[in-house]
Amino acid sequence: MLSQVLHKNSSLIFPIYNIENTDRPISAITIMEDIRVEKWVRGGEVLLTNSETLPQSHEQLIALIDRLSRLNACCLIIKPKSGKYHAPSYLITHAKSIKFPIFSIAVETNYLQVMNDVNELLFYDRQTDHMIDLDLNYILKSHHISDTDFDFISSTKDIDLYKQTACVIQLRFSHPTQLPSRFKSLFRLFGQLRTTLISWEQHERILTYFLLETAKGATIVIFLATSSKKTAKHHKIDFHSLKSSIPTLSKAFHIGISDLHSAKELNQAYDEAQFSLKMSQILNREDSLTYYHEISLWKVINELHQHQEKDFYPKELDGLLQKKELRQTLLTYFSENESLVNTADKLYTHPNTIRYRLQTIQKQTGLDYKKTNDKFLLYIATALNLLDVQE
């Protein structure tokens, strides 16, 4: 997007240093009237400002550029008071070192000339994005897709996406806020997600991506130039960098990640990401990554739950699991890989207390937590009970 703006306005906008990569997303264009950057920046903005607005001291100017970069502003365009803008050498050196684009415009250039061009491109891109979202939503939710279903979205990337491997990521706010606060949170979220995804694309970790906005978060579809069906966790993508890119808004997130699938199985990847997200919410995994292959056993348990299958373990166990303390003890015990010490740490109690609770269950149900078969039944019963509680 930025490269398009620069190409169209090559006679108006001039870089203060030789910028190698201008393939940066633009979310908006605004006039920065003072240096309270948090007021103007949510992520992806082209900022227009007057040279007189900038701080005069070396330290303050560097700090300003650092803040703009940290908040993922697209770029800064400076209009001089008179003549041409002469950037200080220390500003050029620093901007180059952190790869933050800074440009100047001629003093006679009207801000509206640049703003109109950017807004025209933004409008065109948003219309295209809307059409992509409609096509991709159909593909994600359809069980029967063909290569022709990918024709339009493939044309926007100049890649035959039907031949690629894909992964779906579902991201949701744990506690969505009311409007207009939610709009502000989502706007910043999408800007920072795009920055991370573009970085993955530029470093060839992924072939391309699509970011679908939802009312409570985002759906991300990534395509990789590989036929390997690894799990997403073991691919070279650093999903933790996606998590760390989410802005700090005093909000928690749940993130579900599918395994890798061929594009023709994109619906399966979507279902896996949806289920991973659901389990992330049920298991209280806020601000962590939940991979489908880690919770795929829960898919079987969910099938049992839907068919009300509970005849394979003692009925007395259902009564015990109604007690929150015992249910939480078993759930934590299994999530901590049956470590009494770790379970006690998580529940802020003594290992002997955990042992006593497990023995209480054994005495009343006959299921011994140290025996493999009984342990499996305890796990299934705990999981089914947890699904009941969520309903």
Side-chain angles (χ1 to χ4, degrees):
M1 172 72 83
L2 178 58
S3 58
Q4 292 173 276
V5 172
L6 297 175
H7 178 73
K8 191 170 183 179
N9 294 277
S10 58
S11 61
L12 299 176
I13 303 174
F14 312 99
I16 69 163
Y17 68 92
N18 184 24
I19 300 169
E20 295 179 0
N21 186 5
T22 56
D23 188 18
R24 296 169 69 94
I26 298 175
S27 62
I29 182 164
T30 188
I31 299 172
M32 189 173 76
E33 297 176 351
D34 56 48
I35 62 171
R36 294 175 294 173
V37 296
E38 287 77 7
K39 180 179 177 182
W40 313 107
V41 182
R42 295 291 179 268
E45 291 84 359
V46 172
L47 298 166
L48 296 165
T49 196
N50 192 292
S51 59
E52 293 183 300
T53 302
L54 301 175
Q56 299 304 305
S57 80
H58 178 149
E59 293 78 9
Q60 288 180 329
L61 185 53
I62 294 299
L64 173 67
I65 300 306
D66 281 339
R67 280 156 61 205
L68 292 176
S69 178
R70 192 163 54 247
L71 291 171
N72 291 308
C74 174
C75 67
L76 179 65
I77 300 177
I78 302 168
K79 182 177 181 178
K81 182 180 179 182
S82 61
K84 290 182 64 177
Y85 178 69
H86 298 286
S89 58
Y90 65 81
L91 176 61
I92 295 173
T93 300
H94 188 69
K96 189 183 294 187
S97 70
I98 64 172
K99 298 180 180 178
F100 183 73
I102 302 178
F103 304 89
S104 67
I105 55 176
V107 67
E108 62 272 13
T109 303
N110 191 313
Y111 284 153
L112 285 176
Q113 291 176 258
V114 181
M115 294 181 80
N116 286 339
D117 284 341
V118 171
N119 285 324
E120 184 181 328
L121 286 168
L122 283 172
F123 178 77
Y124 175 80
D125 274 12
R126 282 167 185 161
Q127 291 297 101
T128 304
D129 286 346
H130 179 64
M131 293 174 67
I132 290 171
D133 288 355
L134 291 174
D135 272 27
L136 203 50
N137 265 308
Y138 166 76
I139 291 170
L140 289 172
K141 295 171 184 177
S142 174
H143 292 275
H144 304 287
I145 56 177
S146 64
D147 55 352
T148 56
D149 292 320
F150 283 83
D151 284 350
F152 174 66
I153 62 170
S154 290
S155 68
T156 65
K157 301 288 187 177
D158 199 25
I159 301 168
D160 187 354
L161 296 175
Y162 192 66
K163 296 179 179 177
Q164 312 306 325
T165 301
C167 169
V168 177
I169 304 167
Q170 292 277 23
L171 188 151
R172 296 289 183 275
F173 287 118
S174 301
H175 309 286
T177 53
Q178 298 300 310
L179 303 178
S181 177
R182 190 190 298 186
F183 282 138
K184 180 179 177 181
S185 301
L186 289 169
F187 183 76
R188 188 173 174 192
L189 169 67
F190 300 139
Q192 298 209 8
L193 287 176
R194 283 193 186 95
T195 299
T196 299
L197 293 164
I198 286 171
S199 172
W200 286 358
E201 202 173 43
Q202 290 172 345
H203 290 88
E204 298 183 349
R205 295 191 180 99
I206 62 176
L207 189 62
T208 192
Y209 74 91
F210 294 94
L211 179 60
L212 282 69
E213 302 176 357
T214 71
K216 297 181 181 179
T219 298
I220 305 165
V221 183
I222 58 177
F223 287 88
L224 306 106
T226 173
S227 58
S228 171
K229 282 196 175 183
K230 301 176 183 177
T231 63
K233 185 177 182 180
H234 294 105
H235 200 270
K236 62 181 178 179
I237 303 168
D238 179 12
F239 285 102
H240 287 279
S241 69
L242 183 73
K243 185 184 74 169
S244 63
S245 75
I246 296 172
T248 303
L249 298 169
S250 301
K251 299 193 180 306
F253 289 86
H254 290 287
I255 304 175
I257 304 175
S258 77
D259 287 342
L260 300 185
H261 292 273
S262 68
K264 64 184 72 175
E265 299 168 331
L266 203 54
N267 171 260
Q268 185 177 339
Y270 177 72
D271 287 346
E272 289 178 359
Q274 287 275 71
F275 187 73
S276 301
L277 179 70
K278 174 184 175 181
M279 292 313 305
S280 173
Q281 294 165 330
I282 288 174
L283 298 173
N284 261 345
R285 292 186 175 182
E286 287 187 346
D287 299 329
S288 62
L289 306 174
T290 301
Y291 296 94
Y292 178 75
H293 78 275
E294 292 178 339
I295 49 86
S296 53
L297 176 60
W298 282 81
K299 194 78 171 178
V300 178
I301 296 170
N302 195 49
E303 291 292 323
L304 292 172
H305 177 252
Q306 290 179 7
H307 291 89
Q308 297 295 310
E309 293 288 345
K310 293 187 175 183
D311 294 340
F312 50 86
Y313 63 80
K315 291 182 180 179
E316 293 84 355
L317 188 53
D318 275 334
L320 289 174
L321 289 172
Q322 295 304 308
K323 300 176 181 178
K324 186 177 179 180
E325 184 180 80
L326 291 180
R327 183 176 67 245
Q328 192 61 42
T329 297
L330 274 175
L331 184 63
T332 308
Y333 177 67
F334 289 122
S335 67
E336 294 300 318
N337 296 310
E338 301 155 41
S339 166
L340 291 172
V341 174
N342 291 349
T343 302
D345 285 345
K346 284 278 185 179
L347 297 178
Y348 303 102
T349 187
H350 194 278
N352 284 341
T353 303
I354 303 300
R355 190 177 289 107
Y356 173 77
R357 292 174 186 171
L358 294 173
Q359 288 171 350
T360 298
I361 293 171
Q362 180 182 344
K363 287 175 184 176
Q364 296 190 36
T365 65
L367 296 176
D368 187 345
Y369 67 95
K370 296 188 291 295
K371 292 182 179 178
T372 301
N373 186 70
D374 291 359
K375 186 188 303 179
F376 182 70
L377 293 178
L378 287 169
Y379 181 85
I380 297 292
T382 304
L384 288 171
N385 188 271
L386 185 61
L387 291 172
D388 283 336
V389 170
Q390 295 302 312
E391 291 187 347

